[in-house]
Amino acid sequence: MGRFFVSQAVLLCLAALLTSCGQSEDNQTVDTVSEEENSTSMFAMNTYVTVTAYGNDTEAALSSAEEKIRSLESLWSVTDENSEIYAVNHSGGNPVEVSDETAQLLDFSLQMNERTNGAFDISLYPVLTAWGFTTEEYRVPDDDEITQLLERTGVEKISLDGQTVHVPDDMQIDLGAIGKGYAGDLVAEDLKQNGVKSALIDLGGNIQTVGTKPGGESWSIGIRNPFGEGNFGVLEIGECAVVTSGGYERYFVEDGNTYWHILDPETGKPAQSGIISVLVIGAEGRLCDALSTSLFVMGLDRAANLWRNSDDFEMIIVTSDGGIYITEGIEDDFTLSKNFSQPEVSVIRR
Ligand code: AMP
Ligand code: MG
């Protein structure tokens, strides 16, 4: 059930994206239509990835992007026995030397734990495993088991000295909430280095763009309706990252209760903050990815407070009761779908 829904969600997301981008393409001038479009698709980082580049001779850049994604996946996979994260998780408490990219991502993850007052926590892997989110063999652990597992979490017990990381023996980390966002950043950088001026990277619905669409037009991004099929709106963006976290992305139902894959580090249980999906937009994919997961945990009020104290992201939050909340910085870039039943959007202001 969970797996079916995930693949459907991804397909819907991709369909939405293709539709919205396609619509805008119809409006392009003759000049911009002549820009060549090339794309490459693959299954990586547990999701469907598509990189589309516009311009002449982008094949080599796309091959390089594909290689980059594969290499990052092989660094950060929790299951690949040759990955750096696997080495860290099976180090027996010994220090492990990691690549610069992994060290940067770990360092940033530890900073995000502080910035979100603990809501973003890469040390939850033992708890996620107990719930079956790592294997899809789902179960509801009892409170005693969760209490014991929480003793094996806590990023303050992780230390990072340059490229040497130390994770205690009984702990395990996972970068599932941030890796795709950082991969978006690094792939965008790689494309630019290879001369690409206009591109869209789609990592399972997490979007990173390079430049604008050919001709200077903005990209139109369809935003998945968390309650059912289709989109609830469209966002017009320039060069940036757009990352979404939702309770509908991976979940299971037992005895009438729905349990999703984003855990509250305080309780060790699926976060019940009243939020059903969060979209974060900003210049950095790694920031947007870390935030989309942690704002989901924090709930509307804490998320709004964090936004008010920040200047590096904007967000759209959908609550379980159907409320849509959007921060003022993207008010003019968002259009609600005509056929979406919830007609009201509340704007969060500074
Ligand atoms: P995302 O789809 O980016 O929101 O990431 C969700 C994934 O992050 C889950 O499948 C877990 O692997 C992991 N995760 C769950 N809860 C948390 C949390 N509170 N902090 C960091 N990672 C988490
Ligand atoms: Mg995330």
Side-chain angles (χ1 to χ4, degrees):
M1 163 98 181
R3 177 183 284 172
F4 167 73
F5 206 81
V6 169
S7 53
Q8 239 209 355
V10 168
L11 286 177
L12 281 169
C13 240
L14 286 176
L17 203 70
L18 290 173
T19 313
S20 55
C21 289
Q23 274 164 355
S24 297
E25 260 160 31
D26 289 347
N27 298 329
Q28 286 178 355
T29 63
V30 175
D31 198 31
T32 58
V33 167
S34 68
E35 283 276 2
E36 207 182 304
E37 178 186 320
N38 269 310
S39 69
T40 177
S41 294
M42 63 183 131
F43 191 83
M45 298 185 159
N46 278 329
T47 195
Y48 294 96
V49 178
T50 300
V51 183
T52 307
Y54 298 84
N56 298 325
D57 305 324
T58 54
E59 287 87 355
L62 285 174
S63 301
S64 170
E66 199 172 324
E67 231 170 79
K68 186 87 204 167
I69 293 164
R70 290 270 176 240
S71 86
L72 296 173
E73 175 182 47
S74 69
L75 291 181
W76 303 333
S77 163
V78 269
T79 47
D80 178 350
E81 294 183 9
N82 298 312
S83 85
E84 291 189 339
I85 296 305
Y86 191 92
V88 167
N89 285 344
H90 297 84
S91 63
N94 292 308
V96 175
E97 189 81 10
V98 294
S99 61
D100 180 46
E101 277 131 338
T102 303
Q104 297 277 346
L105 187 53
L106 287 174
D107 184 43
F108 188 72
S109 298
L110 301 182
Q111 289 174 35
M112 287 309 294
N113 178 263
E114 265 185 47
R115 185 169 168 188
T116 61
N117 280 320
F120 185 76
D121 189 334
I122 57 167
S123 72
L124 292 172
Y125 196 67
V127 195
L128 286 158
T129 304
W131 284 93
F133 287 115
T134 53
T135 54
E136 296 188 9
E137 284 164 23
Y138 299 119
R139 60 187 274 273
V140 180
D142 66 31
D143 286 353
D144 284 348
E145 185 179 350
I146 291 175
T147 307
Q148 279 179 17
L149 287 169
L150 284 176
E151 283 170 18
R152 294 172 49 193
T153 69
V155 298
E156 66 286 348
K157 291 179 257 176
I158 299 171
S159 68
L160 183 67
D161 180 13
Q163 287 176 223
T164 307
V165 55
H166 178 256
V167 172
D169 192 18
D170 58 346
M171 285 179 63
Q172 293 196 313
I173 58 170
D174 112 86
L175 300 172
I178 194 168
K180 287 198 282 286
Y182 195 35
D185 290 330
L186 296 175
V187 171
E189 212 176 282
D190 195 68
L191 286 168
K192 284 184 194 174
Q193 271 173 10
N194 285 302
V196 174
K197 302 218 162 29
S198 172
L200 189 141
I201 305 153
D202 177 353
L203 297 122
N206 288 357
I207 304 298
Q208 179 92 36
T209 59
V210 171
T212 60
K213 284 182 74 176
E217 274 183 76
S218 55
W219 309 93
S220 300
I221 307 294
I223 309 172
R224 168 92 155 76
N225 171 12
F227 300 109
E229 297 204 350
N231 294 330
F232 75 84
V234 171
L235 194 61
E236 299 285 327
I237 61 166
E239 178 170 290
C240 64
V242 179
V243 180
T244 309
S245 286
Y248 55 84
E249 284 174 341
R250 197 181 322 153
Y251 69 97
F252 67 99
V253 180
E254 195 172 297
D255 297 333
N257 297 313
T258 301
Y259 301 96
W260 48 61
H261 65 135
I262 299 177
L263 302 185
D264 183 337
E266 274 187 20
T267 62
K269 296 178 182 177
Q272 295 287 347
S273 67
I275 288 180
I276 191 73
S277 85
V278 186
L279 175 149
V280 179
I281 172 168
E284 272 192 324
R286 61 180 188 172
L287 174 76
C288 295
D289 201 354
L291 281 175
S292 68
T293 310
S294 42
L295 299 179
F296 187 98
V297 173
M298 292 163 78
L300 182 62
D301 292 344
R302 283 177 67 200
N305 281 337
L306 183 64
W307 172 78
R308 285 195 183 94
N309 291 320
S310 308
D311 61 3
D312 48 4
F313 73 96
E314 302 287 337
M315 62 187 183
I316 302 176
I317 287 180
V318 183
T319 52
S320 315
D321 57 8
I324 301 175
Y325 300 82
I326 175 166
T327 51
E328 63 182 358
I330 47 170
E331 193 180 353
D332 296 338
D333 306 322
F334 174 74
T335 313
L336 191 66
S337 292
K338 286 189 193 72
N339 51 3
F340 192 65
S341 56
Q342 165 62 270
E344 283 212 7
V345 176
S346 308
V347 179
I348 304 173
R349 303 203 182 275
R350 296 227 177 250

